[in-house]
Amino acid sequence: MRRNRYDNDCTVFSPQGRIFQVEYAMEAVKQGTTATVGLTSKEYTVLVSLQGPAAADTSALPQRKILSVHPKLGLAFAGLVPDAQILHSHLCTQCLTYNLSYIGEMPVARLMTGLAIKMQAHTNRNELRPFGVGLLVAGHDSQGAHLYQAMPSAAVIKCRATAIGARSQLALRYLERHWNAFEHCSKEELICHGIQAIRGSLAQEQNLEIKLAIVGAAEEFRICDAAETQKYIEMSKRLDQEVSSVEALTEEETEEQTTSET
């Protein structure tokens, strides 16, 4: 088989044991226009996404990166928008079917198992291609708050905090440093952590707009409006300044102790 044949077929392994079509789909998620962050505590799950740069055509509607599935579940995505719309429609259909059959909300874990099966079918059939989109699914059910990450390889992982999309590594570094604190955070603290993580991936970009969504035990999935989002952004800036001041004081005290010991 010619070498380039491995690039075109998602059912054939290369001699190195790789499936290139799946890797290309994973790269489509990494090359997404903006980063998307998700984090969860015992009671709440928060999604934070960046709206892309303002389009030259002011009449064009901005592409939403956070979508609602049912009152207690929603998702954010990074990657190809048409693929995200297909998976969003699939999740909506599954939730509606379950609700009509059992008169109740579908458990999040069961919903994600069905999503993994659908995504996996696109990695082993010759007439299909893997979905070029990554999802962060936030939900709440009788088992508590949930955050799942679904990738084109059909790997579906339950997370406490994660990030996908362009420059997501910068956001992941922040999440790794504060990972232990998320479980016991209040709603406001969790949102501030999400904003701080997403701001770490901004670099020098301008004209980017932060979008927030939250779901909890006593709160249905909702996307915050501009005024509420701005309030949380200002709150996170104040928190960042307070943390910086404490760190500076700690460094000064350490230097003084070192000097006195010397």
Side-chain angles (χ1 to χ4, degrees):
M1 181 179 289
R2 294 181 181 179
R3 184 178 182 85
N4 62 358
R5 174 62 175 166
Y6 301 113
D7 287 9
N8 299 329
D9 199 332
C10 66
T11 65
V12 179
F13 287 94
S14 75
Q16 294 80 27
R18 301 161 64 185
I19 299 180
F20 291 112
Q21 284 292 310
V22 174
E23 294 186 14
Y24 297 155
M26 298 286 287
E27 192 63 27
V29 177
K30 295 179 183 178
Q31 298 296 329
T33 54
T34 55
T36 301
V37 170
L39 56 166
T40 184
S41 65
K42 286 185 176 181
E43 298 182 359
Y44 295 96
T45 303
V46 171
L47 296 176
V48 187
S49 180
L50 289 174
Q51 193 74 42
D57 183 7
T58 56
S59 63
L61 293 175
Q63 175 60 50
R64 294 186 300 164
K65 303 298 289 293
I66 301 178
L67 304 171
S68 175
V69 177
H70 71 69
K72 283 290 187 177
L73 189 135
L75 63 86
F77 67 89
L80 302 180
V81 177
D83 288 6
Q85 292 174 339
I86 291 174
L87 294 179
H88 175 250
S89 297
H90 169 76
L91 293 176
C92 291
T93 301
Q94 293 300 308
C95 290
L96 180 59
T97 302
Y98 186 93
N99 190 18
L100 292 174
S101 301
Y102 300 100
I103 318 299
E105 301 292 353
M106 189 173 188
V108 181
R110 182 171 178 176
L111 179 65
M112 297 310 298
T113 299
L115 177 64
I117 292 172
K118 179 176 179 61
M119 297 182 74
Q120 194 272 337
H122 282 246
T123 66
N124 62 2
R125 294 177 61 180
N126 194 38
E127 69 274 14
L128 302 175
R129 64 163 176 81
F131 288 101
V133 65
L135 304 180
L136 296 183
V137 180
H140 194 285
D141 57 19
S142 60
Q143 301 299 318
H146 302 278
L147 174 66
Y148 284 89
Q149 176 181 348
M151 299 304 287
S153 60
V156 175
I157 307 168
K158 187 174 183 179
C159 310
R160 181 178 296 176
T162 189
I164 58 176
R167 297 190 295 274
S168 59
Q169 286 298 326
L170 298 173
L172 283 171
R173 291 176 187 173
Y174 178 90
L175 297 175
E176 289 172 357
R177 290 199 304 269
H178 301 83
W179 183 82
N180 291 326
F182 297 150
E183 184 176 4
H184 303 287
C185 281
S186 65
K187 179 177 74 172
E188 291 76 14
E189 291 172 340
L190 198 65
I191 292 175
C192 288
H193 278 300
I195 293 174
Q196 287 291 89
I198 205 77
R199 285 176 61 196
S201 66
L202 285 174
Q204 301 299 321
E205 291 282 357
Q206 301 296 327
N207 300 324
L208 292 174
E209 182 181 355
I210 293 177
K211 293 292 184 181
L212 297 173
I214 187 167
V215 63
E219 188 168 2
E220 293 186 347
F221 184 88
R222 65 183 180 87
I223 300 174
C224 300
D225 57 27
E228 188 176 4
T229 300
Q230 186 61 36
K231 181 188 72 173
Y232 286 121
I233 292 174
E234 296 298 329
M235 188 184 301
S236 69
K237 289 179 180 179
R238 291 195 300 269
L239 179 63
D240 186 33
Q241 292 173 355
E242 292 174 0
V243 171
S244 299
S245 300
V246 172
E247 291 178 350
L249 290 173
T250 303
E251 290 178 359
E252 291 178 0
E253 291 176 356
T254 304
E255 292 177 358
E256 290 176 359
Q257 290 178 358
T258 304
T259 304
S260 61
E261 291 175 358
T262 302

